[in-house]
Amino acid sequence: MTEVVSENSEVTVLLVDDNPQNLKVLYETLKDKGYRLLIANEGEKALDLAHRHQPEVILLDIMMPDMDGYEVCERLKADPATADCAVVFLSALDDLQAKVKGFSLGGADYISKPFQSLEVIARVKTHARVIRLERELQARNRELRGDQARILNSISEGIYGLDENGVIEFANPAAAEIMGCPVDQLIGRNFFEAHFATCGDGPDGLPVQSTCCQGMAENQRNIRMSRPDGSGFPAEYRSTPKLDNDELHGAVVVFRDITAELESEAALEEARELVQEQRDQLAHASRLTTMGEMAAGFAHEVNQPLTAITNYARVSKRMMSKEAPDLGLLGETLDKIEAQSHRASEIIRRIRRFMKKPATGKEIISVPALLEDTRQFAEVDMRNNEGGIELSVPDSLPDVAADPIQVQQVALNLIRNALEATRSANASTPVEVSAELLGSSCVRVQVRDHGVGLPADAEDKLFLPFYTTKDEGMGIGLATCRSLIQAQGGDIGFERPEDGGACFYFTLPVAGADGASCAPEPASSVREA
């Protein structure tokens, strides 16, 4: 064995021939071409050099003693280390049968002896380039497969690759962890039989079945999957068809155990229900507090028609005691008794409606009617504060979708605050209650007073629980108002009018405006009243 290394050794070429003269000629032909040249004069030496150096090109003589070129080629192709080498046969055998045999054993080319130097140079150059490109491509493919494996191994979701029959061909480490079973014990199992207890009832309706058989992607949540040990867990999965030139070859399934997620959702839903219940209780308590504060006024309001009824009844009784009663006057008096009875009944009805707990769900509300009803409800506060209420609502205002009792509670709370603020400033201007349409999806209701306004630092804390600017306030009124309005899909806020006082507003979604948002306006566009 002889080894000669040229200055440029990027490409290795192995020259194999039992004739020293032929080897010399080949060497002289290629020595200045920048190749790393290896020389062997028999088959065993050629195999040893090829195994250790993995040359790109082997120029191989066929007719050699002990081991001919065909056998050398066959053994080169059987060795993984040398299988990709380009074997170019050199032989004086120029018949077709010899060439066919050489190609059938894995030869890449055939040069007849005596060979031409230029032909050898050209063939070696071509095959060297092809082999180098193939090796670079293989290296890149190995790199990509490595990247792919690292990505799949780092994903926390389980991944299966299934064939068209549902047999698991691939499983990542996360799948093994979720299933509590090594990867090598998952591969080869049938996905449906291994993970679904209902598989024995037939394939119809099984998850991923339509993806494997029909190429239809699936995405389901809270599906019960079984582990090999017999335990089960709720899972979410996505399956996509595995296609090759539009031909279906199975499915890729990405799944995860959602046990902890479902438990968290259940706990969150329970907490939401508890918060909703507490909010309803707080709102009801707030209404009871309001009624307690207004009790004296309502007692006076109810007492008026009752006193009138009593007086009209006495008058009627005296009329009837006469020998010739004036039946016409008696009828008019009885009509007045009936009217006063209706008035007392209406006052009591209004109080009872305000006191009751609201029914679940929203109703279609006429904003003008609701505000007018609220204004009448606040008449007691108007008298107590020696104030007035000026209602301005356009007839064209669309209805809103909300709970009428809760909206009335908010409106009444804001109006009572406005009346008290106006009285504290000794102002006589009525409280202004107005409503308008914002865009096409929200109605804005605002209550403007003419009091002394609010402190500069109150704006950020105004709707926080237990914050109040009143000496005897508890600080739950506005916090409750915000909670009630947000529950209706609206927003509540405060503005400082340039000419003093305060302006509170709330928004409600227009009935039928599906998906409409009544989110607060950006700070830059907040209007000044």
Side-chain angles (χ1 to χ4, degrees):
M1 177 186 71
T2 304
E3 179 175 343
V4 180
V5 179
S6 69
E7 291 183 0
N8 186 350
S9 58
E10 289 185 356
V11 175
T12 301
V13 179
L14 173 60
L15 311 177
V16 185
D17 200 312
D18 63 325
N19 186 326
Q21 185 61 33
N22 288 342
L23 280 177
K24 182 179 179 182
V25 173
L26 285 173
Y27 176 77
E28 293 296 330
T29 300
L30 299 172
K31 71 175 183 179
D32 297 328
K33 305 306 176 186
Y35 302 125
R36 179 181 186 231
L37 299 176
L38 305 177
I39 296 173
N41 58 2
E42 58 178 274
E44 287 294 348
K45 293 178 181 178
L47 292 174
D48 178 65
L49 279 175
H51 185 80
R52 289 192 288 120
H53 297 281
Q54 287 95 47
E56 278 78 6
V57 181
I58 300 176
L59 296 179
L60 179 61
D61 184 27
I62 294 178
M63 302 302 292
M64 294 189 296
D66 300 329
M67 184 186 299
D68 64 18
Y70 293 134
E71 184 177 352
V72 173
C73 180
E74 191 171 15
R75 292 177 62 177
L76 286 170
K77 295 301 174 182
D79 184 349
T82 57
D84 67 341
C85 297
V87 176
V88 179
F89 288 109
L90 292 169
S91 179
L93 301 175
D94 196 24
D95 58 286
L96 178 60
Q97 186 177 3
K99 294 180 181 178
V100 170
K101 182 177 181 180
F103 287 123
S104 68
L105 293 173
D109 207 344
Y110 196 101
I111 300 176
S112 299
K113 291 181 179 178
F115 52 78
Q116 300 295 320
S117 297
L118 291 177
E119 181 184 10
V120 171
I121 293 170
R123 299 282 181 96
V124 169
K125 181 178 180 181
T126 299
H127 289 294
R129 181 182 301 159
V130 171
I131 293 300
R132 291 300 298 268
L133 291 175
E134 287 181 352
R135 289 183 176 180
E136 289 175 3
L137 181 61
Q138 291 171 1
R140 181 56 182 160
N141 286 338
R142 285 194 296 272
E143 184 180 346
L144 291 175
R145 284 195 294 270
D147 291 343
Q148 185 182 38
R150 283 189 290 275
I151 292 171
L152 292 175
N153 292 341
S154 65
I155 293 176
S156 61
E157 294 177 308
I159 300 177
Y160 278 152
L162 310 180
D163 70 8
E164 60 275 17
N165 297 314
V167 175
I168 301 173
E169 297 178 320
F170 169 82
N172 70 339
E177 183 176 353
I178 294 172
M179 292 302 175
C181 181
V183 169
D184 57 355
Q185 294 183 23
L186 290 173
I187 293 175
R189 292 190 177 206
N190 184 278
F191 172 76
F192 307 109
E193 296 174 358
H195 298 314
F196 296 99
T198 58
C199 181
D201 299 336
D204 295 339
L206 280 175
V208 192
Q209 182 72 31
S210 59
T211 306
C212 281
C213 299
Q214 304 171 26
M216 298 173 60
E218 294 183 16
N219 185 357
Q220 293 195 56
R221 190 168 189 272
N222 202 3
I223 297 298
R224 192 74 180 172
M225 291 185 72
S226 301
R227 294 188 175 92
D229 64 2
S231 63
F233 63 93
E236 180 180 30
Y237 77 89
R238 306 184 302 278
S239 64
T240 53
K242 199 164 59 176
L243 300 172
D244 185 7
N245 293 327
D246 295 331
E247 185 177 351
L248 183 62
H249 290 277
V252 175
V253 185
V254 180
F255 63 96
R256 62 192 178 95
D257 184 346
I258 59 172
T259 301
E261 190 174 312
L262 291 179
E263 291 174 352
S264 298
E265 289 178 359
L268 180 60
E269 183 61 28
E270 185 177 348
R272 283 175 178 165
E273 291 176 357
L274 180 60
V275 169
Q276 180 62 42
E277 183 180 350
Q278 292 176 342
R279 184 170 60 189
D280 292 343
Q281 291 175 351
L282 181 60
H284 192 226
S286 178
R287 284 197 297 277
L288 294 179
T289 301
T290 301
M291 290 306 303
E293 295 171 351
M294 301 172 70
F298 278 121
H300 173 73
E301 187 139 334
V302 174
N303 192 51
Q304 281 185 329
L306 292 179
T307 301
I309 290 171
T310 302
N311 291 335
Y312 286 135
R314 287 173 181 168
V315 171
S316 299
K317 189 175 180 181
R318 284 200 298 271
M319 289 181 181
M320 293 177 65
S321 64
K322 292 181 180 179
E323 291 183 359
D326 185 344
L327 296 181
L329 182 58
L330 180 59
E332 292 177 2
T333 305
L334 292 176
D335 288 341
K336 292 179 179 179
I337 291 175
E338 183 183 15
Q340 293 298 323
S341 298
H342 283 303
R343 180 186 171 192
S345 176
E346 178 61 23
I347 294 172
I348 293 172
R349 182 194 63 80
R350 198 184 304 151
I351 294 173
R352 292 184 61 186
R353 188 174 60 185
F354 184 77
M355 293 283 289
K356 73 176 183 180
K357 288 188 176 181
T360 57
K362 297 179 181 178
E363 300 177 12
I364 305 301
I365 304 174
S366 168
V367 176
L370 184 138
L371 293 179
E372 172 57 28
D373 196 35
T374 307
R375 188 193 67 77
Q376 295 179 17
F377 208 59
E379 285 181 351
V380 173
D381 283 285
M382 279 195 292
R383 287 195 296 272
N384 292 340
N385 291 286
E386 299 177 347
I389 299 174
E390 185 176 285
L391 189 60
S392 175
V393 183
D395 295 334
S396 59
L397 201 64
D399 293 340
V400 297
D403 185 302
I405 302 300
Q406 294 185 349
V407 174
Q408 188 181 53
Q409 181 177 351
V410 173
L412 180 61
N413 201 331
L414 298 182
I415 289 173
R416 295 185 69 214
N417 288 346
L419 287 168
E420 292 174 2
T422 301
R423 186 190 62 177
S424 65
N426 295 320
S428 59
T429 307
V431 169
E432 299 167 12
V433 179
S434 60
E436 62 178 340
L437 180 63
L438 287 183
S440 60
S441 58
C442 295
V443 167
R444 168 179 161 131
V445 177
Q446 70 176 33
V447 179
R448 162 80 191 278
D449 67 53
H450 297 275
V452 296
L454 294 171
D457 62 344
E459 196 162 344
D460 295 336
K461 300 178 287 186
L462 207 52
F463 294 97
L464 297 178
F466 310 115
Y467 175 81
T468 180
T469 59
K470 300 178 183 177
D471 295 337
E472 299 177 353
M474 295 177 61
I476 61 173
L478 289 179
T480 302
C481 287
R482 182 174 68 172
S483 175
L484 294 178
I485 289 299
Q486 289 179 342
Q488 311 304 316
D491 182 53
I492 190 168
F494 160 76
E495 294 173 354
R496 295 180 186 277
E498 292 180 352
D499 55 348
C503 178
F504 285 85
Y505 68 89
F506 62 87
T507 59
L508 295 169
V510 171
D514 294 337
S517 173
C518 292
E521 298 176 8
S524 59
S525 61
V526 171
R527 305 178 316 169
E528 293 291 341

